[in-house]
Every structure is written in structure tokens, then in C-alpha cells.
């Protein structure tokens, strides 16, 4: 019996970080990176169905993390915050907006 793979989307505006995330996830037999983008808008425009989205909390496009989480969660995907953010306020806002957790 073959288990379904978890379809993953990744959003980060730093190419090196994004490539590293994709490479690491590619090593996991249960995960498949289906789409990656530098912005939430770019990922949503790709119109690829995913189960989980890894979201960088602090994107350079000036978007608000809480709004980003809400937009992504509205697609039915679980949103995991991918960050080294140390300030509690943005993390708390993202979690209140529907983020499932932090990586």
C-alpha cells in the first residue's frame, strides 16, 4: 500500500533559504514540494493545491504576516511559520490568524 505524500508549498524571499528547504524536504519520502514562491501572492497565483504551506514570517514585500496566514489558511492548507523571528507579537498575531505552528 502506497501512502499519499504530503503536498508542500514554501514561501520565502531569500533564494538560498528556499533552495535549502526544498532540498531538505526532497529527502523525505512522505513530502513533495509542489510549489515554491517568494510571496504569498505568487504562490496563490500558481493555483497548485497543497496540504501544508511553510511561510517565512518576515517577507520583504511589506505584507502583513497575519493577513498572509489568513489568505493561505482560507485555501484549506495548514500554515506553518518558518522563521527565526524572536519578537513574540508577530508570531502571536500569525497564530491567532490561523497558523498551525512554528518550524
Amino acid at each position: 500500500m502506497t501512502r499519499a505524500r504530503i503536498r508542500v508549498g514554501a514561501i520565502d524571499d531569500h533564494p538560498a533559504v528556499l533552495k535549502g528547504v526544498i532540498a531538505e524536504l526532497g529527502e523525505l519520502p512522505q513530502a513533495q514540494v509542489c510549489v515554491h514562491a517568494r510571496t504569498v501572492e505568487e504562490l496563490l497565483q500558481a493555483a497548485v493545491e497543497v496540504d501544508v504551506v511553510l511561510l517565512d514570517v518576515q517577507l520583504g514585500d511589506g505584507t502583513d504576516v497575519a493577513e498572509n496566514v489568513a489568505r493561505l489558511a482560507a485555501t484549506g492548507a495548514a500554515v506553518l511559520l518558518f522563521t527565526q523571528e524572536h519578537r513574540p507579537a508577530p508570531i502571536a498575531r500569525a497564530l491567532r490568524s490561523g497558523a498551525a505552528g512554528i518550524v
Side-chain angles (χ1 to χ4, degrees):
M1 174 187 224
T2 304
R3 290 176 34 173
R5 296 177 86 184
I6 298 169
R7 299 168 299 175
V8 179
I11 303 171
D12 196 305
D13 58 345
H14 296 91
V17 172
L18 196 51
K19 286 179 183 179
V21 168
I22 292 166
E24 285 298 314
L25 288 173
E27 298 292 320
L28 301 174
Q30 65 271 32
Q32 175 186 8
V33 178
C34 298
V35 62
H36 54 86
R38 291 183 178 204
T39 67
V40 170
E41 187 63 32
E42 184 182 328
L43 184 127
L44 293 174
Q45 286 182 358
V48 175
E49 227 177 287
V50 295
D51 303 305
V52 176
V53 176
L54 298 175
L55 173 65
D56 181 8
V57 170
Q58 194 171 26
L59 296 173
D61 64 355
T63 55
D64 178 71
V65 67
E67 291 174 15
N68 285 341
V69 168
R71 289 181 72 196
L72 293 166
T75 69
V79 180
L80 292 175
L81 305 174
F82 183 73
T83 188
Q84 292 183 13
E85 178 65 63
H86 298 288
R87 298 173 299 151
I91 300 299
R93 289 181 54 249
L95 292 170
R96 283 194 303 270
S97 292
I102 303 170
V103 177

